[in-house]
Amino acid sequence: MHVGLSNKFQIQGSKRKIVSLQFSDKTVEDYSKAMSVGNPSDLSTSPFAQLYSPTGKKQMFQRVDRFSVLQPIRKEEDKLTDKDIMRQLQESPEQKMEDQIPKPLVGSQSARSYFQHYKVLNKVRQQNEYHKINDSIQTQMLKQAESLDVLPCKLGLIKLNGNESQISINNHHYGDKYISVLSEGLRQNQGVKEFLLSNNRIKQDGAVTILSQIGKQATVVDLSKNDIGQMGVDCLCQQLQMRENKMEVINIEDNKLGDKFVIKILKCLLNTQNKVKVLNVSKNFLTNEICDQMKEIILQLDLLEELYIHWNQIKGSGGQKIFEALVENKNMIVFDGSWNSFGISEKSNCTQKVCDFLSQNKVMLHCDLSANQFTLQDCKLIANSLKPNRTMYGFHFAGNWGVVDPRGFLIIDDNAQQKVLGETLRIKGLEQVTTLRHEDVCWICEGWQEQVFDYVPDGECDPLFLHMNFEEYKQVYIPKRNDGTYKLPLMIPTGQTEFLFTVIDNQTTSSNYQNIKFGHVIKIKVNGIHVSCQLDNINFVKKQKHFQLMDKKEMKALTSVLPRTPDPIYIPPKLKKQKRIWSFPISIWFKDFRFENEEFLRKCFEKDWSCSKISKVVKNPDEFNEVKNLLWKDYKMIKETYKWYSSYNPTGDVWSISSNVITEFSSATELVDNKTFKLSDLDLKFIATCAASIEYKGNYRNPERALCRYQFMEFIVRVADDKYLKQKQANNMVESVQMILDQCRSIMQQYNAQKWRDERYFNEQCDDCLKYYKTLLNQIYHRYSVKKVKPGQKKFMCLDELHEICGQAGLFDEKFVDRDADLAFNLSMMLQIDELESDRIFQMTQVEFMEALARIAEKVSLPAAPDMSWEQRQQQPLHIKLERFLILLAQTCASEELKQQFGNPQKSIFDVQPEDD
């Protein structure tokens, strides 16, 4: 053996095997210095000291190979000088320590090298301490695992395959200790951007540990199904407030945080510059309290594309705020509001806002409203609003009334039972999540794909129908194109779709497609007739099972078929002149008429309640609120009753109830019985109610000796106090008010202006009549709307002008009196919130004028034919009465030109003409 040539020393064994001993450069350097001054004793503290003693040599060789035999050194090596030795030392490569050798984190060798590293951990620790080397990722993780007394795990950093920029350890239940180990491993690895840590028993300490470590590098943070608590929320907010924050996806689903902590996160998002595109706060016991902040999030976060609030406790009033924001939002493409309670109204108008969202929003691509306790009527409104939407490619509505069909329409079956479901299919952005077919179709989740069905005709083949197995072979008409071909693009599910064609009532297959043996009898429906057919073969097409419908970069659908595109309709030749289907949106009233929804009625009630002096009658605070609730429940009935009786004897143009009219009301409802309540008591209550509102004294809209709308409600409470409570028929004011409402209910329920509209007025025939005579109506309205219109003010008609029209037409007689004209005017006026500060209740618009004429026509009942009795005249349909009355107005109130045009018709516009074949 020759020592001093380099840091490698060779021993040749008996089997011609070369064994190398390797020392550090420092050791060799010490040896060279000692030899250069001729003092080998300086090597006594060196590893070479063992080689200088025979015993040391022997022990060294025994450790290398107990069968080794020293070979004589070649003579030419004895001639090496010190310069040669130094040159060889300088040229020898530097040995790398264990943590200086790069080791893969991903691949087949990553796990093996990790556990080999674990075996030499103590050696690596000593090397790093002596040479001051930074710990590698593996060393950091293993040291932390050792300090926490847990077994070493790969924790998603070391893996067989995948992306180094992602850690995915969902559903591993690791716990806080292992999360601490993972955090240590991430200190040297800043390349990880996505952290999928769902369902890992991460609590507050673990959340703080991992979030503090990844805050500056993470783009995706999934902490769902954990329990991060207050400390985790605080730490998340701190990371969001950092300038280096890059988070784009935040998933804290199923952390049971509640409103308080989620509101804190939402406020943090609102108050910081962030890049959040996806936010998931599902399953966190959220209520309506969250919705103000949620509304602001939707309106203000321009980058937010996906929002998930699945499985919370948000009801109608909260949902209304969310959908108000979604109507205006122009960026969000995915919304999951399933398993809440939007259908529980809570005196809100949530369903209407949902309808507005579906009909007006043009950017939403995927929406889930499953299991929200919508009523059957709500579902019908939602279905109608969804029909014109051509941009939402995925819509989920399971757990409510209705089924989403293969075209994307929401189909409501009145006879079907509402489905009771467990957990429904969860949406996941714009990705396909299943290859299975579901009753409620979603093109995105199920990966539906476009298929162009074409048929090469052999002669005449119109009509041509397509029948597909996933639609139970219902008929789909394929019309002939301008180029003479028969093609129809449709969306079909993944897997195999079987289909056949019907050509002029004959079932067949097409040679353009593959065939398979069939041999079954199937029932198909052709032109409304069920047909049984049996084919030996049937056509089929196959679609790949994994298909992404949406291009995420371009945010476009990879299909030319738009959702909810109606199938072509086959119209037999004799039916091609069929009349259009009438609906209210195409009527003459749709643009200007306003329905009284619950939200609007509530505003009217609150205004009346605030103006009244009921607090002076009901002095107990608890009873006061209960009385308010009772009156609100029957407010529509109270309002309608007031409107009817205030029309009997108005004070000038002001609708109000005088003392004579209130006596008539009490007589009809039998309030005055001359025992517990006398007529004198009624007068006292009437006077007390009129005198109580001294702050409105001098307001001409509030007569001093008559009741306005808000006073009528107060009057009922005062009578209840005197008649029932003071006479000890009730124990408190709540019972008193309930008793008077119950006693008057049978009479008050008779008054319903909207019921007459729905049953008699809002129909196709009346609409056609008004449209036909629209020129006449416009001329009469503008001709008589002049008395009280100021310069520059929009035209309106007052009560006197309607009386003038009735007089000009010669209507007044024993069957039609002034009160009838007043009643027609007032019942036609749309409800106003504030009747004390606005003249709108006296100013009739044109749509109200048309209704007033219809009510007058109903009362007058002009005969459509000679010699009709009064009973026969009354039984005529309203559109016939209205037509006769408008002809009379053309004769008596219109200009000469319109009199010639409409005043002497030869026949009714409703005379049915036989259709020409």
Side-chain angles (χ1 to χ4, degrees):
M1 181 177 68
H2 183 71
V3 180
L5 294 177
S6 69
N7 59 347
K8 288 186 178 180
F9 304 91
Q10 295 183 342
I11 300 173
Q12 187 172 9
S14 59
K15 295 183 180 180
R16 303 294 180 179
K17 180 180 180 181
I18 302 301
V19 181
S20 296
L21 302 178
Q22 190 167 352
F23 299 91
S24 69
D25 292 339
K26 186 176 183 303
T27 303
V28 176
E29 185 179 356
D30 292 341
Y31 165 77
S32 299
K33 288 181 180 179
M35 295 302 294
S36 65
V37 295
N39 188 10
S41 62
D42 290 345
L43 299 174
S44 59
T45 61
S46 168
F48 289 97
Q50 294 179 340
L51 300 177
Y52 260 79
S53 66
T55 305
K57 291 179 182 179
K58 184 176 181 180
Q59 292 175 349
M60 178 63 69
F61 292 131
Q62 286 176 348
R63 280 195 297 270
V64 175
D65 189 345
R66 61 194 182 95
F67 299 106
S68 300
V69 177
L70 287 176
Q71 301 294 326
I73 305 299
R74 291 177 297 177
K75 291 183 179 181
E76 46 271 22
E77 289 184 354
D78 293 337
K79 299 178 182 180
L80 291 174
T81 64
D82 290 343
K83 290 184 179 180
D84 295 331
I85 295 171
M86 292 301 297
R87 179 175 55 79
Q88 290 183 12
L89 289 172
Q90 291 173 358
E91 290 177 355
S92 63
E94 180 181 359
Q95 181 185 7
K96 291 185 178 180
M97 298 297 103
E98 189 76 23
D99 267 356
Q100 291 179 324
I101 302 174
K103 296 181 180 178
L105 295 177
V106 180
S108 58
Q109 298 297 323
S110 60
R112 182 179 301 174
S113 64
Y114 180 57
F115 287 108
Q116 289 296 331
H117 199 91
Y118 173 62
K119 292 180 180 179
V120 296
L121 180 62
N122 291 332
K123 173 186 173 182
V124 173
R125 184 188 288 112
Q126 293 173 6
Q127 286 180 348
N128 293 353
E129 290 176 358
Y130 182 78
H131 295 286
K132 297 181 181 179
I133 299 172
N134 292 330
D135 290 341
S136 66
I137 294 173
Q138 291 86 346
T139 302
Q140 286 178 320
M141 293 175 64
L142 291 170
K143 285 171 63 177
Q144 184 69 5
E146 189 177 74
S147 66
L148 295 175
D149 194 24
V150 295
L151 292 174
C153 289
K154 294 176 286 184
L155 296 173
L157 268 176
I158 292 92
K159 48 195 172 185
L160 290 175
N161 49 48
N163 192 340
E164 286 191 14
S165 65
Q166 182 187 81
I167 290 178
S168 179
I169 53 173
N170 293 338
N171 305 311
H172 278 65
H173 305 278
Y174 277 128
D176 285 354
K177 287 187 177 180
Y178 279 109
I179 293 302
S180 177
V181 174
L182 175 61
S183 300
E184 284 299 316
L186 291 169
R187 290 185 185 277
Q188 296 294 332
N189 190 355
Q190 298 298 313
V192 182
K193 304 298 181 184
E194 300 180 8
F195 298 87
L196 309 181
L197 313 176
S198 174
N199 199 12
N200 271 291
R201 298 190 298 117
I202 300 175
K203 299 190 181 300
Q204 299 192 52
D205 293 336
V208 171
T209 302
I210 190 67
L211 286 171
S212 301
Q213 184 60 45
I214 68 177
K216 295 181 180 180
Q217 67 190 81
T219 58
V220 177
V221 178
D222 183 357
L223 289 171
S224 60
K225 299 181 182 179
N226 289 295
D227 189 13
I228 65 174
Q230 180 178 358
M231 294 171 59
V233 170
D234 291 341
C235 187
L236 177 60
C237 292
Q238 291 175 8
Q239 304 306 316
L240 288 172
Q241 292 170 353
M242 295 173 60
R243 293 182 60 186
E244 299 89 347
N245 167 49
K246 301 181 182 68
M247 293 186 193
E248 296 180 0
V249 178
I250 300 176
N251 186 351
I252 52 173
E253 176 180 332
D254 199 9
N255 272 269
K256 304 172 181 62
L257 296 176
D259 291 328
K260 178 180 177 182
F261 295 136
V262 176
I263 286 176
K264 186 172 184 179
I265 295 173
L266 298 183
K267 286 183 177 179
C268 182
L269 290 172
L270 286 170
N271 297 329
T272 58
Q273 294 291 332
N274 59 76
K275 302 177 181 179
V276 175
K277 296 181 179 179
V278 180
L279 178 61
N280 189 342
V281 292
S282 304
K283 294 186 179 181
N284 274 299
F285 302 133
L286 304 182
T287 67
N288 289 344
E289 294 183 15
I290 197 80
C291 294
D292 286 326
Q293 294 298 326
M294 192 67 70
K295 180 178 181 179
E296 295 302 316
I297 284 286
I298 296 171
L299 291 175
Q300 296 186 30
L301 293 193
D302 293 336
L303 297 178
L304 187 63
E305 296 177 348
E306 300 179 22
L307 177 62
Y308 302 84
I309 56 174
H310 163 88
W311 203 291
N312 282 301
Q313 300 164 12
I314 302 174
K315 297 184 180 178
S317 57
Q320 178 177 344
K321 298 175 183 178
I322 291 174
F323 286 102
E324 283 175 353
L326 287 173
V327 170
E328 301 179 22
N329 184 276
K330 304 300 180 185
N331 307 294
M332 192 173 297
I333 58 175
V334 178
F335 174 70
D336 183 359
S338 59
W339 289 92
N340 281 280
S341 301
F342 297 149
I344 300 179
S345 64
E346 291 183 321
K347 304 171 185 176
S348 67
N349 198 18
C350 182
T351 301
Q352 184 58 49
K353 296 303 177 183
V354 172
C355 294
D356 294 343
F357 157 67
L358 293 174
S359 60
Q360 298 177 29
N361 188 293
K362 302 302 180 185
V363 295
M364 187 68 66
L365 301 175
H366 206 180
C367 179
D368 190 349
L369 298 180
S370 300
N372 265 288
Q373 302 186 50
F374 290 113
T375 65
L376 176 59
Q377 187 60 35
D378 290 340
C379 294
K380 289 181 178 180
L381 294 173
I382 291 172
N384 289 331
S385 300
L386 183 65
K387 279 182 182 179
N389 189 305
R390 298 287 184 269
T391 57
M392 192 178 294
Y393 285 83
F395 180 71
H396 297 246
F397 208 62
N400 300 300
W401 295 91
V403 175
V404 181
D405 75 356
R407 306 293 182 270
F409 291 102
L410 179 58
I411 307 301
I412 307 295
D413 184 356
D414 292 350
N415 299 321
Q417 294 293 322
Q418 187 174 20
K419 292 171 289 186
V420 179
L421 300 178
E423 181 76 17
T424 54
L425 180 69
R426 288 291 304 276
I427 69 174
K428 187 179 179 182
L430 300 177
E431 300 179 12
Q432 179 185 358
V433 297
T434 181
T435 59
L436 303 177
R437 279 291 319 280
H438 290 76
E439 185 179 10
D440 288 272
V441 174
C442 175
W443 291 359
I444 295 175
C445 290
E446 297 176 14
W448 283 50
Q449 301 161 55
E450 180 177 344
Q451 173 67 40
V452 178
F453 292 94
D454 61 343
Y455 186 84
V456 179
D458 183 13
E460 180 62 31
C461 65
D462 191 36
L464 173 66
F465 297 103
L466 171 70
H467 311 269
M468 295 175 285
N469 63 334
F470 64 85
E471 293 185 315
E472 298 181 349
Y473 298 100
K474 79 168 189 177
Q475 70 175 19
V476 179
Y477 177 56
I478 303 181
K480 187 177 182 179
R481 295 192 173 191
N482 294 332
D483 59 1
T485 61
Y486 291 85
K487 292 183 179 180
L488 182 66
L490 293 173
M491 296 296 287
I492 63 173
T494 61
Q496 182 169 298
T497 296
E498 300 172 359
F499 59 95
L500 59 101
F501 297 91
T502 295
V503 181
I504 313 180
D505 298 334
N506 294 316
Q507 285 70 49
T508 185
T509 57
S510 171
S511 59
N512 293 353
Y513 303 94
Q514 294 180 338
N515 290 340
I516 58 172
K517 290 185 178 181
F518 193 65
H520 303 296
V521 176
I522 58 175
K523 289 186 177 181
I524 63 176
K525 192 174 183 179
V526 181
N527 296 330
I529 302 173
H530 289 281
V531 178
S532 296
C533 68
Q534 181 174 359
L535 297 176
D536 295 332
N537 299 297
I538 195 168
N539 290 137
F540 75 94
V541 291
K542 280 188 177 181
K543 294 293 183 182
Q544 59 181 341
K545 289 194 173 182
H546 299 284
F547 175 76
Q548 295 297 333
L549 177 66
M550 308 304 297
D551 184 343
K552 294 183 180 179
K553 292 183 179 179
E554 300 292 332
M555 293 301 173
K556 286 184 181 179
L558 302 177
T559 176
S560 63
V561 181
L562 297 178
R564 285 163 292 282
T565 300
D567 290 337
I569 299 175
Y570 174 64
I571 304 176
K574 291 187 178 181
L575 299 179
K576 288 185 177 179
K577 295 183 180 180
Q578 196 171 16
K579 201 174 180 181
R580 92 293 191 219
I581 299 175
W582 184 86
S583 62
F584 186 84
I586 65 173
S587 69
I588 196 172
W589 311 289
F590 179 75
K591 181 180 178 181
D592 300 314
F593 185 84
R594 185 192 69 240
F595 287 91
E596 296 172 5
N597 56 37
E598 189 174 4
E599 179 183 3
F600 187 79
L601 285 173
R602 186 73 190 193
K603 291 179 180 179
C604 296
F605 172 77
E606 293 294 343
K607 181 63 180 178
D608 292 352
W609 182 262
S610 62
C611 293
S612 70
K613 302 302 177 183
I614 295 177
S615 58
K616 293 183 178 180
V617 183
V618 185
K619 298 180 180 179
N620 185 312
D622 295 332
E623 293 182 4
F624 182 80
N625 291 327
E626 290 187 43
V627 168
K628 182 178 181 181
N629 291 333
L630 283 177
L631 293 174
W632 162 241
K633 288 180 182 178
D634 286 323
Y635 178 71
K636 186 174 183 180
M637 179 182 72
I638 296 171
K639 179 265 301 181
E640 292 285 351
T641 304
Y642 164 77
K643 198 162 194 177
W644 191 276
Y645 281 93
S646 64
S647 307
Y648 283 6
N649 188 20
T651 307
D653 280 349
V654 180
W655 306 109
S656 57
I657 300 177
S658 64
S659 60
N660 291 334
V661 177
I662 206 67
T663 302
E664 187 176 339
F665 167 74
S666 64
S667 176
T669 55
E670 299 180 352
L671 289 176
V672 175
D673 57 5
N674 293 322
K675 294 180 181 179
T676 59
F677 193 72
K678 300 179 181 179
L679 187 59
S680 58
D681 299 325
L682 180 74
D683 293 337
L684 289 174
K685 295 306 168 187
F686 179 86
I687 294 170
T689 305
C690 293
S693 303
I694 56 175
E695 64 268 28
Y696 297 107
K697 188 176 182 179
N699 186 338
Y700 72 93
R701 303 180 192 90
N702 189 5
E704 292 183 2
R705 298 182 181 180
L707 301 179
C708 290
R709 191 178 71 197
Y710 77 95
Q711 292 172 314
F712 181 66
M713 188 164 61
E714 178 184 338
F715 171 77
I716 292 175
V717 176
R718 289 182 180 273
V719 172
D721 176 42
D722 199 43
K723 180 175 176 62
Y724 300 105
L725 185 61
K726 292 182 179 179
Q727 297 297 327
K728 297 183 179 180
Q729 295 185 38
N731 297 321
N732 51 54
M733 278 302 300
V734 178
E735 292 183 9
S736 300
V737 173
Q738 186 65 62
M739 290 174 70
I740 194 172
L741 290 173
D742 290 341
Q743 179 169 339
C744 299
R745 192 179 306 279
S746 60
I747 300 299
M748 296 174 71
Q749 282 182 338
Q750 299 175 11
Y751 310 123
N752 190 334
Q754 187 59 41
K755 183 178 179 182
W756 176 85
R757 295 188 187 105
D758 295 336
E759 295 178 356
R760 299 283 291 169
Y761 181 53
F762 285 162
N763 55 58
E764 182 179 7
Q765 292 78 13
C766 289
D767 182 36
D768 289 341
C769 184
L770 293 173
K771 286 177 179 177
Y772 182 82
Y773 289 97
K774 187 176 181 181
T775 306
L776 173 68
L777 292 168
N778 291 343
Q779 197 266 339
I780 295 176
Y781 178 78
H782 287 88
R783 184 176 185 180
Y784 285 86
S785 298
V786 292
K787 276 190 177 181
K788 298 187 178 181
V789 179
K790 298 177 182 178
Q793 191 176 9
K794 189 176 179 180
K795 289 266 188 180
F796 66 87
M797 183 174 290
C798 65
L799 181 59
D800 289 340
E801 289 165 331
L802 184 64
H803 276 263
E804 184 179 351
I805 291 174
C806 294
Q808 188 74 22
L811 299 180
F812 292 114
D813 57 18
E814 67 278 1
K815 286 184 170 56
F816 186 84
V817 296
D818 287 346
R819 175 182 284 192
D820 296 319
D822 295 343
L823 193 61
F825 187 105
N826 196 14
L827 294 181
S828 302
M829 299 297 294
M830 288 183 281
L831 184 64
Q832 304 300 317
I833 296 175
D834 191 350
E835 293 193 349
L836 295 178
E837 301 297 332
S838 171
D839 290 335
R840 176 66 179 83
I841 57 172
F842 320 131
Q843 301 171 351
M844 177 175 279
T845 62
Q846 189 161 355
V847 69
E848 293 164 336
F849 171 66
M850 290 188 295
E851 181 177 336
L853 294 183
R855 290 183 180 275
I856 293 172
E858 182 86 285
K859 181 66 177 176
V860 174
S861 298
L862 295 175
D867 302 324
M868 290 184 70
S869 66
W870 175 247
E871 289 74 16
Q872 291 173 331
R873 288 166 56 180
Q874 287 182 309
Q875 293 172 5
Q876 295 176 106
L878 177 58
H879 62 273
I880 299 297
K881 297 179 182 180
L882 182 59
E883 182 187 29
R884 299 307 303 170
F885 180 49
L886 293 179
I887 293 172
L888 176 62
L889 292 182
Q891 295 170 350
T892 56
C893 301
S895 64
E896 284 297 324
E897 180 183 356
L898 295 181
K899 183 177 179 180
Q900 295 295 327
Q901 182 178 351
F902 297 106
N904 190 24
Q906 299 299 316
K907 57 185 177 181
S908 169
I909 63 173
F910 299 106
D911 287 346
V912 180
Q913 295 295 321
E915 236 181 349
D916 185 3
D917 291 339

